[in-house]
Amino acid sequence: MTIPSLPLLMIEPVVRAALLEDLGRAGDLTTDAIVPPTARARTALVARQPGVVAGLAAAATAFRLVDPEIEVAVERPDGTPLAPGDRIATIAGPARGMLTAERVALNFLGHLSGVASGAATLVEAVRGHKARICCTRKTMPGLRALQKYAVRVGGGMNHRFGLDDGVLIKDNHVAVAGGIRPAILAARRGVGHLVKIEVEVDTLDQLEEALATGVDAVLLDNMTPHQLATAVRMIDGRAIAEASGRITPQTAPAIAASGVDLISAGWLTHSASVLDIGLDWESADYSPPHSDGEVSA
């Protein structure tokens, strides 16, 4: 599998905002009071549980934004399967910056690795079928690009990135338009010839109407595997068949066996479990200032 990448230009603003939120108005009071400015350290990012690593660029950016002297040496790049105890990267440099950036770096790394691990689990569940696993727009505000990147790292693919790169006619659009056919016709009049049109259907009758009108893709929502198999036969290659609703590693194989092209799961991004990754201390190089136990004013 080819591992995707994100330009630093897309990563840095999100990480910078997270650091500013954490530093507040006075900076890292704890670290600045305890750690001498000359202290240097060597630490390691270590996996505590199995999964797939993702988000190393965001973690490295957190360290480097706090102190450009911090060096990050990646040993297991994004997309690497992890076992408990695996060393992911080594961090070396000024100890103050390392400790200040630690939580933000781990927040990004643990969350994005959790997203990638969830995607990898679903991909494995449908192995042997043609169905591809994809995410949705149910992302955390401000993190969409990173979360969708992590889905790709886990072997999944992305649905539309936003409202502006594809038409997805859902039930409320249909209600306002007065039906499937008028909604599709209005969408076709309102967008350019390169924009794909997908419509969500809950019943086989709605599917028949959508196919008769003509669409690029149909979102088969909350259908049983039997209904999905019937829908795939009705579609007969005339549109992309996407299944959604109640997608878990346990239900995905039967859904994939229906013959759908795509299986989309919102929980990959909005409810992914954080992968437990820690920053383990390895060595330090500094001499603490002498203290006789008294604090002078």
Side-chain angles (χ1 to χ4, degrees):
M1 180 180 70
T2 301
I3 301 301
S5 62
L6 277 182
L8 182 60
L9 187 66
M10 298 174 66
I11 299 171
E12 184 173 304
V14 182
V15 177
R16 185 183 296 274
L19 288 168
L20 289 172
E21 177 184 60
D22 211 19
L23 289 166
R25 295 169 297 174
D28 186 351
L29 298 178
T30 308
T31 299
D32 290 349
I34 296 173
V35 181
T38 57
R40 300 184 71 83
R42 180 183 176 88
T43 60
L45 292 167
V46 178
R48 304 275 194 259
Q49 64 183 119
V52 175
V53 64
L56 278 164
T61 298
F63 288 116
R64 290 167 178 156
L65 281 175
V66 172
D67 193 323
E69 289 189 30
I70 295 176
E71 297 179 354
V72 179
V74 173
E75 298 181 26
R76 288 177 168 83
D78 283 2
T80 304
L82 298 174
D86 280 351
R87 183 203 297 262
I88 300 168
T90 299
I91 319 296
R96 274 191 173 183
M98 201 176 300
L99 293 176
T100 295
E102 176 184 0
R103 176 42 49 202
V104 167
L106 290 177
N107 284 349
F108 278 110
L109 188 60
H111 173 66
L112 296 175
S113 295
V115 172
S117 300
T121 299
L122 279 185
V123 168
E124 182 61 31
V126 302
R127 190 173 299 281
H129 299 285
K130 71 174 182 177
R132 297 287 305 275
I133 299 298
C134 64
C135 54
T136 70
R137 282 173 46 247
K138 296 176 182 177
T139 55
M140 295 297 100
L143 296 181
R144 181 168 296 176
L146 287 170
Q147 289 185 314
K148 283 183 171 286
Y149 160 79
V151 168
R152 299 198 304 277
V153 168
M157 61 184 295
N158 298 147
H159 211 288
R160 57 179 180 164
F161 273 76
L163 296 172
D164 61 341
D165 64 348
V167 171
L168 177 49
I169 302 170
K170 298 180 73 69
D171 53 357
N172 287 335
H173 297 111
V174 171
V176 172
I180 295 276
R181 178 178 172 78
I184 295 172
L185 293 178
R188 189 172 294 146
R189 289 193 300 269
V191 299
H193 65 288
L194 294 180
V195 178
K196 298 287 188 180
I197 297 176
E198 181 173 14
V199 62
E200 177 187 73
V201 299
D202 302 313
T203 68
L204 296 178
D205 286 342
Q206 288 181 325
L207 173 60
E208 188 172 11
E209 185 178 0
L211 293 172
T213 309
V215 290
D216 299 293
V218 286
L219 176 59
L220 307 167
D221 190 41
N222 282 303
M223 290 187 178
T224 66
H226 177 72
Q227 289 173 318
L228 288 171
T230 302
V232 169
R233 288 194 296 271
M234 289 174 60
I235 294 168
D236 193 26
R238 289 179 287 168
I240 294 170
E242 175 186 350
S244 70
R246 302 190 297 269
I247 309 299
T248 69
Q250 291 71 42
T251 63
I255 292 171
S258 70
V260 295
D261 302 297
L262 301 174
I263 298 175
S264 57
W267 66 263
L268 287 176
T269 48
H270 70 59
S271 299
S273 298
V274 170
L275 193 71
D276 191 1
I277 296 172
L279 186 71
D280 290 354
W281 196 266
E282 293 193 338
S283 65
D285 178 18
Y286 71 94
S287 298
H290 174 74
S291 172
D292 58 6
E294 296 181 1
V295 178
S296 59

